[in-house]
């Protein structure tokens, strides 16, 4: 009788490369991180941490500062990343992708747009819909004539059930929503994709600037070096970036 031994080979790791981030107006930046949120099908690679800190996000890699405004990731594994910038005075700037909400749907490109009439209708629908949070703000919309995805900021800084254990608690999270066109009528999908969730004192939250930019998302790393050039606005209020501002 013959016996065979099955030897399982380790999973194939694709070679990584170097990602260099060149910042303009980046003197106040204190950290540059890279995050692989999604797998190829748009599923979470790691579920958002409900205990995450606004000033200490989960990152798959951290860059090393190699110049006044240059940061470098060495041997970054192949994949698609979003970048996270942390800066002085409670500033966080983050990339995102229009990730699929339904199974088997594709990612939308970073520069996806939507028509003016559709945009107006969806913004109005979100404004009129009931929400648990007292502030629900659509930040970016992008898609096709069949489906539109929305990066939404959901904030509750009014008293919640957390008050007993954490007086003054506020919650903030970001999600991707999808509206699908059904014979010309737009319908919001029940399923959403959560990017993050933080819990902190409302007085601290109101001091933060947490902005989003699709230009910092969907960065593909393969086997060749990649350089990203990014200009940080001198004035966030006057820029086109959207998100949380001190209030």
């Amino acid at each position: 009788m013959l016996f065979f031994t099955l030897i399982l080979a380790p999973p194939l790791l694709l070679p990584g490369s170097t990602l260099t981030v060149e910042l303009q107006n980046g003197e106040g930046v204190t950290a540059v991180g890279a995050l692989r949120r999604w797998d190829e099908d748009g599923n979470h690679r790691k579920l958002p941490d409900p205990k995450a800190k606004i000033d200490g996000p989960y990152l798959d890699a951290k860059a090393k500062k190699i110049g006044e405004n240059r940061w470098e990731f060495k041997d970054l594994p192949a994949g698609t990343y979003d970048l996270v910038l942390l800066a002085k005075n409670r500033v966080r700037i983050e990339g995102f992708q229009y990730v699929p909400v339904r199974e088997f749907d594709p990612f939308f490109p970073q520069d996806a747009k939507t028509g003016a009439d559709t945009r107006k209708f969806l913004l109005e629908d979100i404004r009129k819909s009931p929400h648990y949070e007292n502030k629900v703000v659509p930040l970016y919309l992008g898609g096709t004539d069949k489906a539109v995805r929305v990066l939404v900021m959901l904030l509750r800084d009014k008293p919640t059930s957390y008050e007993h254990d954490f007086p003054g608690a506020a919650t903030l999270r970001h999600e991707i929503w999808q509206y699908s066109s059904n014979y010309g009528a737009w319908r919001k999908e029940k399923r959403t994709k959560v990017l993050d969730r933080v819990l902190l004192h409302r007085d601290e939250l109101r001091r933060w600037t947490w902005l989003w930019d699709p230009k910092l998302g969907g960065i593909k790393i393969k086997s060749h070096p990649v350089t990203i050039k990014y200009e940080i606005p001198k004035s966030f209020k006057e820029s086109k970036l959207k998100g949380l501002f001190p209030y």
Side-chain angles (χ1 to χ4, degrees):
M1 182 178 295
L2 297 177
F3 294 91
F4 296 91
T5 301
L6 178 63
I7 300 176
L8 297 178
L12 178 64
L13 297 178
L14 296 178
S17 189
T18 298
L19 169 62
T20 303
V21 181
E22 298 181 358
L23 300 175
Q24 185 174 341
N25 306 322
E27 293 79 7
V29 172
T30 58
V32 177
L35 172 61
R36 288 180 66 191
R37 300 184 201 271
W38 318 108
D39 65 16
E40 294 181 354
D41 298 319
N43 299 311
H44 285 97
R45 295 185 66 252
K46 178 182 177 65
L47 291 175
D49 181 2
K51 297 182 180 180
K53 305 296 183 182
I54 192 171
D55 58 348
Y58 169 81
L59 300 169
D60 287 295
K62 295 182 180 179
K64 180 179 180 181
K65 191 172 184 179
I66 59 172
E68 184 177 357
N69 287 301
R70 298 179 73 239
W71 298 75
E72 184 181 77
F73 299 89
K74 272 201 169 183
D75 299 320
L76 193 63
T80 303
Y81 293 83
D82 298 335
L83 295 184
V84 182
L85 311 182
L86 294 175
K88 297 177 181 178
N89 301 319
R90 296 179 174 83
V91 173
R92 176 170 168 174
I93 307 175
E94 191 158 347
F96 73 96
Q97 301 168 61
Y98 290 110
V99 63
V101 171
R102 302 184 308 186
E103 291 184 351
F104 310 116
D105 279 357
F107 282 82
F108 288 163
Q110 296 302 106
D111 59 353
K113 305 295 182 183
T114 189
D117 290 342
T118 298
R119 179 183 179 88
K120 181 179 179 181
F121 174 82
L122 298 185
L123 292 177
E124 185 67 11
D125 184 77
I126 294 173
R127 187 185 69 82
K128 290 182 177 180
S129 299
H131 305 285
Y132 167 76
E133 296 79 8
N134 56 285
K135 295 181 182 179
V136 176
V137 184
L139 302 179
Y140 293 88
L141 294 82
T144 68
D145 58 349
K146 299 296 184 183
V148 174
R149 295 181 192 143
V150 189
L151 174 64
V152 183
M153 178 176 71
L154 302 102
L155 187 155
R156 184 173 178 90
D157 57 2
K158 291 183 177 181
T160 69
S161 58
Y162 295 104
E163 291 287 327
H164 178 72
D165 298 319
F166 185 178
T171 61
L172 174 65
R173 73 180 188 276
H174 297 89
E175 298 182 355
I176 295 291
W177 293 3
Q178 177 164 316
Y179 280 83
S180 302
S181 178
N182 186 15
Y183 300 102
W186 290 100
R187 174 181 56 84
K188 180 181 177 296
E189 301 287 344
K190 292 183 179 180
R191 186 181 185 186
T192 68
K193 288 291 180 68
V194 179
L195 277 67
D196 54 61
R197 180 182 181 277
V198 296
L199 172 68
L200 69 165
H201 196 283
R202 64 177 65 99
D203 291 344
E204 175 68 9
L205 177 66
R206 291 169 180 169
R207 301 171 69 185
W208 270 85
T209 300
W210 186 350
L211 306 178
W212 296 79
D213 192 340
K215 294 179 181 178
L216 291 175
I219 298 170
K220 298 185 182 299
I221 300 299
K222 295 183 180 179
S223 58
H224 58 279
V226 175
T227 297
I228 298 295
K229 297 183 178 181
Y230 184 74
E231 180 178 357
I232 298 175
K234 292 183 178 180
S235 171
F236 294 124
K237 284 288 188 179
E238 296 177 4
S239 73
K240 295 183 179 180
L241 298 186
K242 300 175 182 179
L244 177 72
F245 292 91
Y247 65 103

